[in-house]
Amino acid sequence: EVQLVESGGGLVQPGGSLRLSCAASGFTFSRYWMTWVRQAPGKGLEWVSNVNQDGSETYDVDSVRGRFTVSRDNAKNSVFLQLNSLRVEDTAVYFCARRVREVGLDFYDYWGQGTLVTVSS
Amino acid sequence: DIQLTQSPSFLSASVGDSVTITCRASQDITTYVNWYQQKPGRAPNLLIYAAYVLHSGVPSRFRGDGSVTEFTLTISSLRPEDSATYYCQQLNSYPHNFGPGTQLEIK
């Protein structure tokens, strides 16, 4: 059974840092791209970042570029999101998801339950 | 960046009805559109990928269609458990934006 479990969220002051983790199980982790998506309270979904199978390619949304860094450790079946210079508007539930990418197909099929990041003074 | 709009933003329908949600893209995204269902406090669930392919385990009451810039999600024979917010998403190019969502209420 595929499982994704996020951790590392919490309350942090503006300008602070957090490191989110997503532990994967039930599939061959190193074969898949992984993704972070966030959702501010009462708002819609916002794609944040992707990382490829070996961590050599990453992509992120403009609003987090230079502040957030996605990485992975295939030996530990985990993907990470380092959040620096946090702003109040980064307050959200952060989900990790598995990306399936094949010719003509591209989708996020399994999601974790999310971890809440609250940025407030 | 490719922008997605969804209509309507809110939908109210009765058990047994059929409803259609439309997602429009600001540019040609071929069929790189996926649809997700999200219930309050839960993670999104993949319903449809590649515009019309039903994800494993999703009831056949859900149907996706469209290409280029206009896409639809149709839910037939509505059931109470279909009450949720529905999002489209494009993966044609980065950033992988989501639409703003359509909230479906089952009366």
Side-chain angles (χ1 to χ4, degrees):
Chain A
E1 177 193 6
V2 172
Q3 283 198 323
L4 298 171
V5 180
E6 301 94 335
S7 61
L11 174 64
V12 61
Q13 292 187 340
S17 297
L18 278 177
R19 189 190 195 212
L20 307 183
S21 299
C22 172
S25 60
F27 64 101
T28 305
F29 181 72
S30 60
R31 292 184 181 175
Y32 291 87
W33 286 70
M34 295 298 293
T35 294
W36 287 96
V37 171
R38 69 182 178 181
Q39 186 169 37
K43 302 297 184 183
L45 301 169
E46 180 183 29
W47 174 82
V48 174
S49 190
N50 274 0
V51 59
N52 74 337
Q53 291 91 333
D54 64 6
S56 62
E57 286 183 55
T58 63
Y59 300 88
D60 45 44
V61 68
D62 285 351
S63 59
V64 309
R65 195 162 298 140
R67 301 188 300 122
F68 292 7
T69 303
V70 61
S71 62
R72 64 191 294 159
D73 184 339
N74 287 343
K76 295 182 178 178
N77 288 347
S78 294
V79 61
F80 308 100
L81 189 65
Q82 178 68 41
L83 288 63
N84 296 332
S85 303
L86 280 161
R87 305 168 180 169
V88 171
E89 56 265 33
D90 295 319
T91 294
V93 174
Y94 285 74
F95 297 99
C96 71
R98 185 179 82 167
R99 179 185 184 187
V100 174
R101 191 182 188 200
E102 300 174 4
V103 174
L105 305 176
D106 203 342
F107 53 90
Y108 304 153
D109 61 347
Y110 286 95
W111 296 63
Q113 83 290 347
T115 187
L116 175 63
V117 172
T118 303
V119 185
S120 174
S121 54
Chain B
D1 293 1
I2 295 172
Q3 306 301 320
L4 298 178
T5 59
Q6 285 183 235
S7 60
S9 55
F10 179 83
L11 199 47
S12 183
S14 300
V15 171
D17 286 353
S18 291
V19 297
T20 296
I21 301 168
T22 300
C23 176
R24 290 186 174 90
S26 59
Q27 303 173 33
D28 182 354
I29 55 174
T30 61
T31 56
Y32 283 100
V33 163
N34 308 319
W35 290 93
Y36 300 88
Q37 176 194 65
Q38 187 182 34
K39 298 183 179 180
R42 305 291 297 274
N45 282 325
L46 177 66
L47 297 173
I48 301 282
Y49 61 90
Y52 58 85
V53 182
L54 202 63
H55 183 52
S56 175
V58 175
S60 58
R61 303 183 293 104
F62 293 86
R63 184 170 63 86
D65 203 355
S67 63
V68 188
T69 61
E70 184 156 327
F71 304 86
T72 58
L73 173 69
T74 299
I75 312 170
S76 305
S77 303
L78 281 171
R79 303 177 65 159
E81 59 264 34
D82 297 333
S83 179
T85 301
Y86 294 84
Y87 296 93
C88 58
Q89 183 199 21
Q90 68 83 21
L91 274 76
N92 183 75
S93 63
Y94 287 111
H96 289 172
N97 288 333
F98 291 86
T102 296
Q103 185 179 352
L104 173 60
E105 173 193 81
I106 308 299
K107 287 184 283 195

